[in-house]
Amino acid sequence: MAAPAEGQPAGNEWDWTRPYRAWEATLKEELPDAGAARTGRAAAACGGCRHLDRTAERRLFEQPVDETLRGMELAVSRGARMYAEGRLERAVHWYERAAFAHDYAFPDDEATQAALDGTRRAACLGAARAHLEMRSWRRALLKCREAPRDSEARLLEAQACRELDLFEEARAALAGLEGAGRERAVLLS
C-alpha cells in the first residue's frame, strides 16, 4: 500500500463525516427561533449549501393571500412590460414568479380564488407567448398546458405543436374551439 500524501492522515485516521458533524454541531448550538440566521450559518458550515435556505418560500407561504395576489398582479404587469420591450427572458422570469406564488396561496373565499386563478392564467399564457417568441417551442407547449383550457391557450398550444411538427396534437388543440376562437384559428393557420 502506498504511503499517504503529505498532509493526509495515514490509514483509518481520515474521517469523512467531519464536515457533517461540524454542520450538525452548528445546528445544535443555535436557538430554535434563530430562523434564517441559523440556516445561513449551517449552510456556511457545510461549504455554502444555499439550497438549505427556505426563508423566501416560508415568507411567501406565511404572507396574507391579498398580498400574494397583489404580488402576482405586479409580477404579471412587469412581465407584460418586459415582453413589450422585447426583453423576453426577463418577461418569462416575472411570469414564472407569478405562477410560482400561486402555489403558496390558500384563499378562503371563491372570489379571491377566481382572481388568483385568473392571474395565474395570465402568467402562464404570457410566459407561453414569450417562449414562442424566443422559439422555445417545448417550453411554450408546457406553459400552455399549465394554463386553464380556453381558446387563447388552445391557440398558443396549437401554434407550439405546429412548430414541433406535432400536427395531430395541433388539430386536437384546435378541435375544441368555438365561434370567434375558430375564426381566429383559421386566420392564424
Side-chain angles (χ1 to χ4, degrees):
M1 181 170 201
E6 187 176 327
Q8 293 291 325
N12 293 332
E13 293 178 28
W14 177 252
D15 183 15
W16 62 271
T17 62
R18 185 171 43 99
Y20 297 104
R21 283 188 283 118
W23 179 65
E24 288 176 354
T26 305
L27 280 178
K28 289 178 184 175
E29 288 174 4
E30 300 297 325
L31 297 174
D33 60 344
R38 181 188 70 206
T39 306
R41 281 192 291 277
C46 74
C49 316
R50 289 293 174 203
H51 68 279
L52 297 174
D53 188 14
R54 301 280 188 223
T55 55
E57 287 177 86
R58 188 174 295 116
R59 188 172 50 243
L60 184 60
F61 182 75
E62 291 172 352
Q63 78 181 6
V65 176
D66 57 335
E67 283 183 35
T68 303
L69 180 59
R70 280 195 307 271
M72 287 175 64
E73 291 169 346
L74 179 64
V76 168
S77 68
R78 286 181 178 170
R81 188 176 69 223
M82 295 294 145
Y83 181 83
E85 292 175 4
R87 299 170 60 192
L88 301 176
E89 288 89 8
R90 295 300 297 167
V92 168
H93 167 78
W94 284 108
Y95 286 133
E96 287 180 353
R97 278 186 72 169
F100 177 76
H102 180 271
D103 296 336
Y104 288 92
F106 302 101
D108 294 330
D109 59 343
E110 295 294 322
T112 307
Q113 183 65 50
L116 284 168
D117 291 342
T119 307
R120 181 178 181 274
R121 176 192 169 278
C124 289
L125 294 180
R129 278 189 226 95
H131 282 303
L132 283 171
E133 194 78 23
M134 292 187 299
R135 298 180 179 270
S136 300
W137 315 124
R138 292 223 181 266
R139 289 184 179 170
L141 184 60
L142 289 173
K143 285 296 174 185
C144 289
R145 290 181 176 168
E146 281 182 29
R149 304 290 288 173
D150 65 352
S151 60
E152 188 175 359
R154 288 177 183 266
L155 287 171
L156 292 173
E157 181 180 353
Q159 186 177 355
C161 287
R162 188 183 67 196
E163 295 295 338
L164 290 168
D165 295 333
L166 302 172
F167 298 113
E168 291 303 317
E169 289 187 32
R171 282 189 195 98
L174 293 175
L177 293 178
E178 300 174 6
R182 183 172 289 285
E183 292 171 8
R184 188 171 170 203
V186 170
L187 293 175
L188 289 176
S189 54

